Amino acid sequence: MLSRIFLMLAIITLALLGAVVGVQADTLELKDGTILNNCFIRDEGIRLLVWESMADVGTPKMRIIPRSQIKPQSNGRPFILERDDNWDIKPNLPDLTITFIEMNPKLAGLHGRVAYDQLGRPILRGKGLPDLGDRAVMEPEEVAKGLKLKYSPGEEITLTAHVKNVGFTASKPFTYTWYIDNTQVKSGKYSNSLKEMEETTFELKWKWQEGFHHVTFKVTSDQQEISIINNEATDPLWGFAFTFIVHPERVKTWHQHRSAMGTFCFEDFYRWHVDLMNTLFKAAVFPSSPEGVIARVRLDKIIYAENPQKAADERFSPDGIRYDQGGWNWIGDAERTGKWEPESKEWRNSTEWSLPHELGHQLGITDWYALDYEGKPDHVWPDNNEPVSHFQNHPCQMMHWHGPQVFGEVDAAYLNMTYDKPRGYFGDYYFAIPRENFLRIVDINGNGVPNAKVEIFQRGVVVDTDGQPGEDHGVKYFPVVEDGDFGPPVSKDPVIVGTTDTDGVIRLPNRPVAEVRTLNGHHRQPNPFGNINVVGQRGLMLVKVTKNDRPAYYYLEIYDFCTAWFRGQKDKYTIVLKTPYGSVDSPLPPVDVKAERIDQEHVKVSWSHPKVVHETQYLEKVIGYRVYRRIGPMGLNDRPWFSVATLGPDATEFTIDLTQKPMDTEWFNRNNRFAVTSIGELGIESEMVEGPVIPE
């Protein structure tokens, strides 16, 4: 009798916990000054989902706040996570969830069946595929023609919903409903009870239809549950099918604490991350993906395995093919040692941004941080001899900095192009390079720089100095050592050498390659990067432009070429590189430019007026000065000069507040460079005259 009384008291206490005791929870500050206290927040990158009270947790009653409205904390995070131990109190309630909806028959994937040769060519081969010899390089469709890669209209599909009770007491009978595109197609009642962590399944037969269709499975119970947002699951039927493999003990460990999903459930937390990928796909709106990404992902299967690695190896069917499009296998210290510890409170109540990133790899998209480069002593800035470095042009994207970012434009366009193709290739979109590519070298006023020497060096290659150079449209290119090693730093010797024409233009040569085609529709053909590999090391080239013995450095990254291709510039693409050089009708430049640190936050830049050469000559007349600043050792097109002041003709100094600057991405170091130009009539500027480097 006493035990029943104590149990009733515990239930009453739990019910009143949010209102009476109070749960210490998260703090969120908005840019308009609004502060939300003791709320429960889930970060979805483009937005935050907020339960404003404990009573709302696990319900659809969530406030959606765009990320642009959030005031970041001092640590850069969007909110302060402050949940106390009351968050993890286990309610004496059931909790029905749909862990996954499996689809059969399954389509073939290509994971494990794309081999890379010494020249970096991705070639379909291996068990389960016919051996076509050299034909396989250019005829991937013939290699894969025996695989089931798509469904036929009218083909019978079996959908199996897995329902699990992830609460702490048995469930009562419940009803279920199937929907296709929001239209009910089947319903029924489950008359039994599900014990804690017990699972059951429900099937639906459906005739396949072409197009973008969704399936929804929903359970409805009269019983109070811990959460109701997990009583319904919707999957894109055209989505890429993922398989998760997890040790049962890991699932049990997650069942001991509440996660950001508001439930005590491993499956809920990680299914959310699959849905989150689709949310970010929709938001990846760019010129080449104006509607976002039409590709989708879905969780097709969870394998609970005492030996996850063995289970992963066994994903290959006896015919040698894996019938999924990727997935994830949880193997950590606990699986190796058998000592199970819960994830930290911060981990399980935050977004695991590494997972959408890693699942992106499963879809064939690469690490864009492979284009970051710290530089080497072979190529240095002449003012302080620090290496010319590079940081990827658009680091704020999922495949560079993980979350909270959307997927980038090249990834979005690639997935749109291949949403109905099997996964297994990696980075073959690096082959998407326009047929003709040009550099236009311009001066500070945007005019072409004629007769400038252009030398291009490449990362991932060693130039074969004994080889015979080739020539394409008057520009020389040099052979490289093809030994399968794509890891060398930017080459000491140039791979391309040429001179700009009278308009400042140079056509990049299409260097010979070993051609290859992929099932995704990409074709490695002669191009400026040569035998570009699919990890990206060769996708970075350093450009050295020299005019009047003054060098200027720039980086060309494959990302920009691919972006142009996906935007429709498949035939011709021109990159403009702006130099610090003056024009023929520029005014005389300032002289004796100096930079002197005043304190940690201020630098004084000073200069002298140019000497008058020709009295009243209007081209030489100076009507003002412009002061510039640049931060870091990267290429001039990576993090370029920016103007900090425009002054009158009598000015000879300006004090710069170092805290006032564009919020660009600075990397490697924050050394400051300063320069001054003279301004002539019509806004024409002189060459840029630099002062000494001010270390960070």
Side-chain angles (χ1 to χ4, degrees), residues 384-404:
N384 68 348
N385 289 321
E386 65 180 331
V388 184
S389 60
H390 174 73
F391 199 68
Q392 208 268 331
N393 290 346
H394 305 291
C396 296
Q397 57 175 305
M398 175 61 70
M399 300 311 292
H400 185 281
W401 263 348
H402 298 50

Side-chain angles (χ1 to χ4, degrees), residues 39-40 42 50-53 56-59 61-62 229 260-261:
C39 56
F40 304 88
R42 200 158 85 226
V50 183
W51 286 304
E52 296 193 62
S53 71
D56 295 337
V57 171
T59 75
K61 190 178 178 182
M62 290 181 285
I229 59 170
M261 275 296 293

Side-chain angles (χ1 to χ4, degrees), residues 4 72 74 91 99 117 151 174 241 282 284 311 323 345 402 413 433 526 535 581 607 637 677 681 683:
R4 292 183 62 188
S74 57
T99 53
D117 68 5
Y151 298 111
F174 56 88
K282 293 178 187 177
Y323 288 88
K345 181 179 292 186
H402 298 50
I433 300 174
V535 176
Y581 310 145
W607 60 93
N637 59 332
T677 64
E681 293 180 340

